[in-house]
Amino acid sequence: MFRYRPRFQPRLSRRWVWVTFALVVGFLVAQVGWWILFQRHYIQQTVAYAETAWLQQAALVQRLWAETRPAERPALAEELRRDFPQLEIQGDNVYVRPEPLLSYRESQLRYLRMFAFEGPFFLVVMLAGLWIIAHSLASEREFKRRQQNFLMAATHEFRTPISTLRLLAQTLDLRELPKEKQRDYLQHMNQEISRLESLSERLLATARLEQGLHQADRGVHDLNPVVAQALSHQRAVLEARGASLTFEPAPQPLWVELDPEAFGLVFSNLLENALKYSPGREKPIWVRLKAQEGQAVLEVEDRGVGLRRGELARIFEPFYRSGEEATRETQGLGLGLYLVRSITALMGGSVEAESLAQGSRFRVRLPLRSGAVSAPERSPA
């Protein structure tokens, strides 16, 4: 009976890809090495052949010179200088001049040096091309894996609240429950609906960003009340999930240009990320605001599992989630931090992550608007 083994086949394919890559690299190195050795041997033979040929010419000219009468030698010498410039006649002796032989040998060595340079250069170009192709294939394979993980996560994230809502609705429909119990069920249903709304909002925001349809309705706002208001809206839900929130506003107004709705999505994703990766019953989260080097800085710090080495450059990529989707316990679609980076960039800011001894810290930086402190809010110029 045929058995599909999805985990074995990719490993087998990757192994054969690396074997093929190693064989191609080995063949290229051997080919270039053989080519350089062949050219060296060929040039050495060419120089030796030229030296032998010139010595033979000198011997023949010596015999001809000896058989020529003294009266005819001047004309013969002029003809020999024209036809055999590499030979020299002194008295009754004919020999090979060393200068032309050295010049010919040096010209052949220049060819050898040229081949010795072109060979490694050709090898480096070929290896760089192979590396780029291999890197592109690996990136494409990783992106496909993330897409598969995203589909699995999206199916799970939508199916769980829908199943919960169906169960609660059926319970309320089939049984007479006390009003307090009904209130608890309705509150639970409202939380699941909020969860579905959040998931839908992230998917729609991602789709708009990918299609370039996101339009920010930006204005100049003080970041302190914006963050305080967003935090007050989410505090009850977050604390119900075990979060212990500490808000540290800046001592002075932080006037920045932003879209409050889009910034609320950025802030909620940072809080959700901090809560999601904080195991245990106690989940302390710090939210800080401060001014630094002409920028308003929002910090969200947690005491969760932190970030693994090598993840800092990848956590803001779409669909990226560490670990295997089938064994991961945390919720999410792998889009939260991607939305944080993309929306922050649209508002002219930046985001960075830092791994702590315990937990992690995310910083959102937005440029401060100078000259906006006189009014609580106004439209940008």
Side-chain angles (χ1 to χ4, degrees):
M1 179 182 295
F2 175 76
R3 291 186 177 179
Y4 176 63
R5 293 181 291 181
R7 293 179 62 82
F8 175 74
Q9 187 65 31
R11 292 178 181 176
L12 184 63
S13 300
R14 285 196 294 269
R15 184 179 66 183
W16 281 109
V17 166
W18 283 111
V19 169
T20 304
F21 183 78
L23 289 176
V24 171
V25 171
F27 173 78
L28 287 174
V29 173
Q31 182 69 23
V32 170
W34 175 85
W35 183 43
I36 294 176
L37 291 177
F38 173 79
Q39 293 295 334
R40 179 184 179 185
H41 180 69
Y42 175 77
I43 289 176
Q44 288 177 345
Q45 283 188 331
T46 301
V47 172
Y49 175 80
E51 186 175 357
T52 302
W54 289 358
L55 289 175
Q56 291 176 351
Q57 291 174 3
L60 291 175
V61 170
Q62 178 70 50
R63 291 177 58 185
L64 178 62
W65 184 263
E67 295 175 358
T68 302
R69 290 179 297 179
E72 300 175 351
R73 286 183 174 181
L76 179 61
E78 185 65 26
E79 184 177 355
L80 290 176
R81 289 192 189 95
R82 184 178 64 252
D83 296 337
F84 302 97
Q86 70 274 15
L87 300 181
E88 176 116 10
I89 301 175
Q90 288 187 356
D92 292 334
N93 298 321
V94 179
Y95 62 93
V96 178
R97 295 173 55 201
E99 294 84 1
L101 183 61
L102 291 175
S103 177
Y104 180 76
R105 182 179 299 160
E106 182 61 28
S107 65
Q108 295 300 312
L109 290 177
R110 281 200 301 270
Y111 290 137
L112 180 60
R113 287 192 292 268
M114 181 184 68
F115 292 142
F117 171 77
E118 289 181 351
F121 180 76
F122 169 78
L123 182 61
V124 169
V125 171
M126 291 299 296
L127 293 179
L130 289 174
W131 182 85
I132 292 174
I133 294 173
H135 182 71
S136 300
L137 292 176
S139 299
E140 183 179 357
R141 187 188 305 114
E142 175 65 17
F143 189 75
K144 288 182 178 180
R145 184 189 71 84
R146 294 184 195 175
Q147 285 182 322
Q148 292 175 352
N149 290 347
F150 166 73
L151 291 176
M152 295 175 62
T155 302
H156 175 74
E157 291 293 322
F158 278 98
R159 183 174 56 188
T160 300
I162 290 174
S163 300
T164 303
L165 287 172
R166 180 182 292 112
L167 178 61
L168 294 174
Q170 290 174 352
T171 303
L172 290 173
D173 184 52
L174 297 176
R175 297 177 56 185
E176 289 290 339
L177 298 174
K179 289 187 177 181
E180 184 177 353
K181 197 68 173 179
Q182 292 180 9
R183 191 179 299 109
D184 292 340
Y185 277 21
L186 291 174
Q187 184 178 2
H188 194 178
M189 293 173 69
N190 187 49
Q191 292 177 356
E192 296 300 329
I193 292 173
S194 299
R195 179 177 171 186
L196 286 174
E197 287 178 345
S198 177
L199 291 173
S200 302
E201 185 180 6
R202 293 177 188 178
L203 289 176
L204 290 175
T206 303
R208 289 195 297 266
L209 286 171
E210 291 296 324
Q211 297 177 10
L213 301 178
H214 185 83
Q215 296 181 354
D217 184 14
R218 293 188 289 182
V220 178
H221 303 266
D222 181 5
L223 199 57
N224 283 303
V226 171
V227 173
Q229 184 177 7
L231 192 60
S232 65
H233 289 166
Q234 303 180 58
R235 181 180 291 273
V237 176
L238 295 174
E239 289 180 349
R241 296 170 58 186
S244 175
L245 298 170
T246 302
F247 178 44
E248 301 175 7
Q252 73 276 14
L254 301 176
W255 296 102
V256 295
E257 186 179 0
L258 54 79
D259 178 358
E261 182 179 353
F263 181 81
L265 183 58
V266 169
F267 187 48
S268 65
N269 279 319
L270 289 175
L271 292 175
E272 178 68 23
N273 185 79
L275 182 64
K276 183 169 57 178
Y277 290 101
S278 295
R281 303 183 65 178
E282 294 293 332
K283 304 176 187 296
I285 299 175
W286 289 267
V287 177
R288 303 185 184 95
L289 287 172
K290 60 183 177 180
Q292 186 179 66
E293 298 178 354
Q295 294 178 321
V297 180
L298 166 66
E299 290 186 352
V300 178
E301 182 179 329
D302 61 74
R303 291 294 181 266
V305 296
L307 299 169
R308 296 186 301 181
R309 181 177 299 177
E311 284 189 328
L312 292 177
R314 306 174 63 187
I315 56 176
F316 296 104
E317 298 176 2
F319 308 132
Y320 178 78
R321 300 184 72 200
S322 59
E324 294 291 338
E325 196 67 34
T327 59
R328 189 182 292 109
E329 297 179 357
T330 57
Q331 302 174 354
L333 300 176
L335 296 176
L337 294 179
Y338 166 69
L339 291 174
V340 168
R341 183 191 63 177
S342 302
I343 296 175
T344 302
L346 287 174
M347 293 187 293
S350 62
V351 60
E352 60 190 37
E354 178 184 0
S355 183
L356 306 176
Q358 181 182 0
S360 58
R361 181 187 297 125
F362 286 82
R363 292 189 185 93
V364 174
R365 300 179 181 272
L366 295 172
L368 285 170
R369 288 293 298 260
S370 59
V373 296
S374 58
E377 183 176 326
R378 64 178 177 86
S379 300

